[in-house]
Amino acid sequence: MSKIKNIIWPQVILFGDSITQFSFQPNGWGSEIANQLARKCDVVNRGLSGYNSRWAKIVLPRLISKDSASSNHIAAVTVFFGANDCALEDKNPQQHIPLQEYSENLKDIVKHLGSVGVSADKVIFITPPPLHEPAWEKECVLKGSALNRLNSVAGQYAQACVQAAGQCGADVLDLWTLMQKDGQDFTGYLSDGLHLSEKGNQFVSQHLWTLLKSRVEELPFILPYWGDVDPKQPESGLLCD
């Protein structure tokens, strides 16, 4: 009997902070993307709550190495940092990352991915969303601190993210701009002023799918449709390439 070949199940990796980590909750943007890609590829959540781009750059080689990238056939990687980097240095020095370093960290992340075989055209940056300061200030006060982020500063980091994507050949989803387009009220996209509400998750999944689709639409449906399996000789369809 010939050796049975393992099935190669491609991956889409979601790399980011808490907005990524929590994206697999019910109606989360990550779970919506995973549902779209069922039977085509695995959507892997590598969200790390509270992390900034400096810490992300340090841990990335432990998450995506040359061996893992080649064996898992990575179709796309989203890189979603900035919401913690943009914390105000005097109010939240532990998470704050200077703007220029943030930009360089993003480009270094793309360089590492390229070094392990994941080309820049497979990378999608996602900017931090806008910040609703009154709502987030309430959260800060509950934790015994002052308001530690500003929407205008989040916008500077979003702009740096867009520029870094252009410089390294990655794609980008500019949430900060899109959620405020034409002066619309963006507060409904946020649950606490910073993190995404159900409406915000839906917004991200819809816009991200537009960018992701071209990278995954040619992926084949893995394993035969059940109606095509010969019930008398199932092996003939289930064990062939």
Side-chain angles (χ1 to χ4, degrees):
M1 184 176 178
S2 59
K3 185 178 179 181
I4 297 174
K5 292 184 178 179
N6 290 333
I7 296 171
I8 302 299
W9 218 286
Q11 289 186 339
V12 170
I13 299 178
L14 312 181
F15 184 42
D17 53 32
S18 61
I19 303 177
T20 297
Q21 180 176 322
F22 302 145
S23 72
F24 272 27
Q25 292 180 345
N27 301 309
W29 63 268
S31 60
E32 289 297 315
I33 295 297
N35 183 54
Q36 292 270 20
L37 292 173
R39 291 280 292 273
K40 285 199 164 190
C41 68
D42 287 335
V43 178
V44 181
N45 189 327
R46 292 293 179 264
L48 303 163
S49 179
Y51 275 51
N52 56 38
S53 62
R54 181 188 295 165
W55 303 346
K57 183 178 76 169
I58 293 170
V59 301
L60 181 59
R62 302 184 66 189
L63 304 178
I64 305 177
S65 64
K66 201 157 197 171
D67 289 341
S68 67
S70 61
S71 62
N72 289 322
H73 294 259
I74 295 171
V77 179
T78 61
V79 179
F80 194 172
F81 291 95
N84 296 317
D85 298 69
C86 74
L88 303 176
E89 184 175 13
D90 60 334
K91 299 292 195 299
N92 187 352
Q94 184 175 7
Q95 291 179 304
H96 169 80
I97 299 296
L99 186 62
Q100 183 59 39
E101 184 192 340
Y102 168 68
S103 176
E104 293 303 319
N105 289 340
L106 292 179
K107 288 184 275 189
D108 285 344
I109 286 170
V110 174
K111 285 179 186 174
H112 171 75
L113 291 171
S115 74
V116 299
V118 182
S119 56
D121 63 328
K122 294 182 177 181
V123 179
I124 302 172
F125 286 169
I126 306 176
T127 77
L131 181 85
H132 184 225
E133 292 166 16
W136 185 243
E137 185 172 23
K138 290 179 181 177
E139 296 294 318
C140 292
V141 170
L142 287 173
K143 296 175 183 176
S145 64
L147 178 65
N148 57 20
R149 289 166 173 80
L150 295 173
N151 189 40
S152 60
V153 176
Q156 294 172 12
Y157 282 72
Q159 184 178 18
C161 180
V162 171
Q163 291 173 346
Q167 290 166 357
C168 60
D171 215 335
V172 63
L173 173 55
D174 185 357
L175 290 182
W176 192 86
T177 298
L178 286 172
M179 286 182 168
Q180 300 179 94
K181 191 175 181 180
D182 299 324
Q184 67 174 302
D185 179 9
F186 64 86
T187 59
Y189 295 128
L190 305 171
S191 62
D192 57 5
L194 172 65
H195 300 95
L196 299 175
S197 64
E198 184 173 330
K199 182 181 177 182
N201 274 281
Q202 186 179 40
F203 185 96
V204 173
S205 65
Q206 289 175 347
H207 284 80
L208 179 58
W209 180 248
T210 301
L211 297 178
L212 197 56
K213 188 164 56 174
S214 63
R215 293 164 171 84
V216 297
E217 61 186 352
E218 298 301 322
L219 292 175
F221 199 63
I222 298 175
L223 290 172
Y225 171 64
W226 72 268
D228 295 333
V229 177
D230 183 347
K232 295 180 179 178
Q233 289 186 311
E235 293 86 355
S236 64
L238 299 179
L239 297 181
C240 66
D241 292 333

